[in-house]
Amino acid sequence: MNYPKITYTGWRKGKDKTAFVLVCLFSLITMFPLFFILWDVVSKGYKNFNLRLFTEVTPSSMDAMLARMNGEPIPGGILNGITGTVLIVGMAIIFSVFLGLFIGIYLADNRGKRFAGVVSYLTDLLQGMPSIVIGIITYAWIVKPLSGYSALAGSVALTIMMLPMIVRSTEETLKMLPVAYKEAGLALGSSYTNVVFRILIPSGFGGIFTGILLAVSRVMGETAPLMITALGASVVNWKVMEPTSAIPLLIWDFYNDPNLVELIWSSSLLLLIVIFLLNWIAKIVARKWKV
Amino acid sequence: MESVKITNGKSPILQLKAVSGSYSPGSYAVNRVTTDIYANTITAIMGPSGCGKSTLLRAINRMHDLYPHIKTTGEIILKGKNVLAMDPMEVRRMAGMVFQQPNPFPTMSIYDNVLAGYKLNDIRLKKREKDDIVEQSLQSVGLWDEVKEVMTKRGSFLSGGQQQRLCIARALALNPEILLMDEPTSALDPISTNKIEELLLQLKEEFTIIIVTHNMSQAARISDNSMFMYLGELVEHENTTQMFTKPQNKRTEEYLTGVFG
């Protein structure tokens, strides 16, 4: 039989080269937005990125206007947003980690069961739910019945957003652990609960913790669901049942206030730094805690 | 089939009465195995792949409870108690198990690995008691001198053979009535295997050992009695020397001489 002759001609070489260049080019293009965002945020935000940003609450529009007319820096910071974000996200972490761990454990251990299939499918749906819808649902569930905007309502909205990510990361991490750990634990006469909490969860800590950090960094910048749940506040608030501010809420406020617009950039810079830090820590933890 | 008996004058520590194990209704991976195991002996379970040796071993400490589709029937009497009617957690404290792959708990130190059985059973010990148990357990597997300086390191820090001895120490720390070993050396190099075999010969002074092995020469080297299983049935349970020199059953002879398996 005659096989066709395969040659590596100039035409084919050229095609090969072109494809390679295009791939590199497009890869570079995907990086441009990030570079520009970083450049913009850093170059415009560093001016107001000072101690004041962390120690003072948002100034009133009037004070800011007076300061601006006198050529002084903006007389305030975003302390109320920072504490609000810590409070709301902190509560959301507690709720979602608690719930997410249990759901993840259940899913990892009951593959193929009907109910587990339903839960798994609903988790996927929840992951795709628009954040504003989650906000509105939370408004109807929490804000309305309790007749008031609150940090609690905000944290419930964020919990619903974090939950699917934590469930998935817990489930996937536990599924990847060798069945030998579970069997060895049970063979020592342990209860199932002790095997899960003293062996499996610690062994999968890296993966689970990474999932939690990534979920936190995702919801940290959420604005829409907080606008209709936590509302915002111009003072530092640690009360769970009171309206509370958050960094992304303040950014939205600054956008609507020409006297405070300068603070957008330093607030964004702070948010970006925290999110980058979280991602960086997540990477390190994932690498260090590999079992 | 008839029950096969080995007696050496004592009463058996473990009795199997018509034990069957099934992965799906109607088919038996272990089919009505009846025999006795005596204290302070090493019993090797041999047979070709899929003959049911691991299934039989894992029935003894109720490991099949983890997988609801596996059904165990018959009677397994350990120290006069019917294992299948007991609380599985209690059974497993009486019957220690060592697996094919060394599996020390990766997040625990060597010290904590030895004590894992106590921790997992929520048994609180004083520091002195802990130290004593750890030292004695590691001494009995010959690991004490090798690890006493690195007690706080993770279990996975050790070599494969050391890890397996750590796993044996972990099982021994609970002072079980019987030690079940599922091909404990098949993932190890010859030198580590040799160490474990020597260890087992010492351990039988205090414990009763049942070891599943696909390695006939290992069975010949260390076991007092051997069970030969084929297609889920116990074909022969005999004094090891007797079985390797004058097997009673034709299939045993064929397996031992390499006709099949």
Side-chain angles (χ1 to χ4, degrees):
Chain A
M1 181 183 166
N2 283 325
Y3 290 100
K5 216 172 188 179
I6 298 170
T7 47
Y8 197 53
T9 59
W11 163 238
R12 298 186 70 226
K13 274 184 199 168
K15 240 180 13 177
D16 199 20
K17 274 256 161 63
T18 318
F20 180 71
V21 170
L22 280 179
V23 168
C24 292
L25 193 69
F26 289 141
S27 309
L28 209 64
I29 288 174
T30 61
M31 286 155 65
F32 275 132
L34 183 65
F35 282 136
F36 286 132
I37 289 171
L38 279 178
W39 173 250
D40 258 9
V41 169
V42 173
S43 64
K44 293 177 180 165
Y46 82 97
K47 271 177 286 175
N48 287 305
F49 199 79
N50 46 31
L51 196 62
R52 206 170 202 180
L53 192 74
F54 298 90
T55 53
E56 291 180 24
V57 297
T58 321
S60 74
S61 189
M62 186 63 88
D63 289 346
M65 190 174 72
L66 290 175
R68 199 163 59 107
M69 289 196 310
N70 295 334
E72 292 164 7
I74 295 175
I78 54 167
L79 179 64
N80 49 331
I82 296 172
T83 55
T85 291
V86 169
L87 177 66
I88 296 174
V89 174
M91 284 197 294
I93 292 174
I94 296 171
F95 299 152
S96 59
V97 168
F98 182 75
L99 278 171
L101 271 185
F102 280 95
I103 302 173
I105 291 165
Y106 172 75
L107 290 183
D109 236 352
N110 292 279
R111 268 168 281 177
K113 279 195 188 152
R114 207 188 169 86
F115 184 60
V118 172
V119 173
S120 181
Y121 181 66
L122 292 180
T123 307
D124 283 342
L125 280 186
L126 201 56
Q127 185 131 38
M129 190 80 75
S131 61
I132 185 69
V133 175
I134 291 176
I136 288 169
I137 296 292
T138 315
Y139 177 86
W141 284 352
I142 314 271
V143 179
K144 267 263 170 149
L146 299 181
S147 53
Y149 299 98
S150 62
L152 177 73
S155 68
V156 170
L158 296 191
T159 299
I160 298 174
M161 296 197 66
M162 288 171 71
L163 199 54
M165 288 187 265
I166 294 179
V167 169
R168 278 277 169 265
S169 64
T170 306
E171 181 193 355
E172 294 303 324
T173 308
L174 292 183
K175 270 187 192 169
M176 269 162 41
L177 291 177
V179 70
Y181 294 148
K182 184 173 142 190
E183 291 195 343
L186 290 173
L188 288 167
S190 169
S191 65
Y192 175 71
T193 320
N194 275 349
V195 166
V196 169
F197 287 100
R198 306 235 179 125
I199 297 173
L200 299 184
I201 299 271
S203 303
F205 178 79
I208 295 169
F209 191 68
T210 305
I212 295 170
L213 285 185
L214 293 179
V216 170
S217 77
R218 242 222 59 206
V219 299
M220 204 144 193
E222 278 299 333
T223 319
L226 291 185
M227 287 164 79
I228 46 179
T229 51
L231 191 65
S234 54
V235 292
V236 171
N237 170 50
W238 289 111
K239 292 200 190 84
V240 175
M241 297 311 296
E242 297 284 321
T244 310
S245 198
I247 300 173
L249 283 179
L250 285 181
I251 294 177
W252 172 247
D253 287 346
F254 300 154
Y255 171 79
N256 289 310
D257 190 334
N259 296 315
L260 292 170
V261 79
E262 283 292 304
L263 279 175
I264 285 185
W265 300 104
S266 39
S267 313
S268 304
L269 181 58
L270 176 63
L271 207 51
L272 276 186
I273 290 174
V274 173
I275 289 171
F276 281 155
L277 272 179
L278 286 177
N279 277 277
W280 183 63
I281 296 171
K283 275 228 164 76
I284 290 180
V285 169
R287 207 172 41 220
K288 284 260 156 103
W289 276 79
K290 226 173 212 164
V291 173
Chain B
M1 65 163 283
E2 250 178 82
S3 74
V4 199
K5 279 213 171 103
I6 310 272
T7 36
N8 54 4
K10 296 180 216 158
S11 64
I13 186 168
L14 179 74
Q15 293 172 282
L16 306 179
K17 294 181 183 171
V19 176
S20 296
S22 164
Y23 288 80
S24 57
S27 80
Y28 291 94
V30 172
N31 198 358
R32 296 184 69 78
V33 169
T34 300
T35 192
D36 295 340
I37 307 277
Y38 288 85
N40 302 104
T41 58
I42 299 179
T43 306
I45 309 181
M46 293 184 295
S49 300
C51 70
K53 35 189 204 302
S54 287
T55 308
L56 180 64
L57 189 80
R58 291 164 66 95
I60 297 170
N61 70 340
R62 300 274 299 268
M63 282 316 265
H64 295 322
D65 286 24
L66 274 70
Y67 308 97
H69 63 286
I70 310 177
K71 302 272 180 280
T72 313
T73 54
E75 266 185 88
I76 300 172
I77 315 282
L78 178 58
K79 275 258 176 156
K81 286 182 170 177
N82 187 358
V83 161
L84 296 181
M86 278 165 75
D87 174 30
M89 281 153 49
E90 196 189 337
V91 176
R92 293 175 193 145
R93 283 191 287 264
M94 288 172 72
M97 183 165 242
V98 177
F99 297 81
Q100 185 171 356
Q101 290 286 342
N103 54 3
F105 298 127
T107 55
M108 293 185 193
S109 65
I110 295 171
Y111 186 89
D112 288 338
N113 257 292
V114 179
L115 292 170
Y118 290 93
K119 297 215 157 121
L120 290 170
N121 284 303
D122 300 311
I123 299 168
R124 286 180 181 270
L125 299 171
K126 293 195 188 84
K127 180 88 177 76
R128 270 290 302 276
E129 294 173 304
K130 285 188 193 173
D131 290 346
D132 286 350
I133 291 171
V134 169
E135 180 170 352
Q136 205 195 329
S137 306
L138 289 174
Q139 288 278 16
S140 62
V141 297
L143 204 55
W144 176 250
D145 291 326
E146 291 165 52
V147 303
K148 66 182 174 198
E149 307 294 335
V150 290
M151 214 50 114
T152 53
K153 292 230 162 137
R154 301 257 175 106
S156 43
F157 161 82
L158 302 171
S159 74
Q162 287 174 320
Q163 286 187 22
Q164 193 62 303
R165 279 186 284 154
L166 178 60
C167 291
I168 298 173
R170 180 174 70 186
L172 295 182
L174 285 172
N175 194 25
E177 300 293 341
I178 192 164
L179 196 56
L180 309 171
M181 311 186 96
D182 195 352
E183 302 196 17
T185 60
S186 63
L188 303 181
D189 61 273
I191 294 171
S192 306
T193 300
N194 191 274
K195 273 199 171 151
I196 301 239
E197 288 181 2
E198 284 172 9
L199 169 64
L200 296 186
L201 290 173
Q202 288 167 22
L203 288 178
K204 79 168 179 179
E205 305 297 323
E206 277 184 77
F207 301 95
T208 310
I209 299 168
I210 304 181
I211 176 171
V212 164
T213 177
H214 62 253
N215 182 337
M216 278 183 269
S217 45
Q218 179 171 61
R221 280 194 300 270
I222 60 171
S223 70
D224 301 291
N225 302 313
S226 292
M227 291 163 70
F228 172 64
M229 289 184 71
Y230 185 61
L231 297 177
E233 290 188 3
L234 177 60
V235 176
E236 196 167 340
H237 184 183
E238 190 61 80
N239 176 288
T240 300
T241 326
Q242 176 85 18
M243 186 187 274
F244 277 82
T245 48
K246 270 184 257 156
Q248 303 290 306
N249 190 293
K250 194 156 182 344
R251 278 178 297 180
T252 315
E253 188 180 342
E254 284 175 355
Y255 177 71
L256 292 175
T257 51
V259 176
F260 72 92

